[in-house]
Amino acid sequence: MGEERSVSTAAGDPPGSVSDEGATSEVGAVPGEVHLRRLEHALTSRRASTPLEVWRWAVLQRMVTVRELLVQESDQPADWTSARDSRSLRERNRLLGRMSELRFRMMGDPDVDRAGYEMRRLVAEIREHLVRGKACGPEDRGEAARPE
């Protein structure tokens, strides 16, 4: 009952927001893993005493950083014939579309548990997407060795 809450120090977070404490990443993990963990932490750390609007704001703020992570991927594959790169970009675009849809659900859906569940599923899919991208990065395809 006398539980201490840590207040988030992330810029733009309202007072009383969900803390990112414990949402750290290991060295060599998936690119952007810390952002995914922060979003997961925000999704799962809602307390009954936290106002719904504050929780929604914390989730939306963390969704922005994950979205930016996906957007940073190249818009076009280096070699337009590369099926793997094209597939990866189609997958990324699909994930961005789902993220946009869920952003609106997180803002206004009265069933926040269902929206939170859908967001956690999306985070897992984004992590898988990033792992595939890391495993098949430019250096793995020999692109780093090509002369300019």
Side-chain angles (χ1 to χ4, degrees), residues 133-144:
K134 181 179 179 184
C136 302
E139 61 279 353
D140 295 327
R141 292 186 300 263
E143 293 176 11

Side-chain angles (χ1 to χ4, degrees), residues 36-85:
L36 292 171
R37 286 188 183 191
R38 285 179 177 160
L39 177 55
E40 283 178 326
H41 184 73
L43 287 165
T44 59
S45 65
R46 180 172 173 250
R47 296 188 178 121
S49 62
T50 304
L52 186 57
E53 294 79 21
V54 171
W55 178 77
R56 288 180 197 253
W57 175 257
V59 170
L60 291 172
Q61 289 300 106
R62 284 149 186 87
M63 285 177 72
V64 168
T65 59
V66 172
R67 183 182 184 285
E68 289 172 357
L69 181 68
L70 288 172
V71 169
Q72 287 175 359
E73 292 182 17
S74 171
D75 286 332
Q76 295 181 358
D79 179 6
W80 65 271
T81 60
S82 174
R84 178 176 285 164
D85 287 344

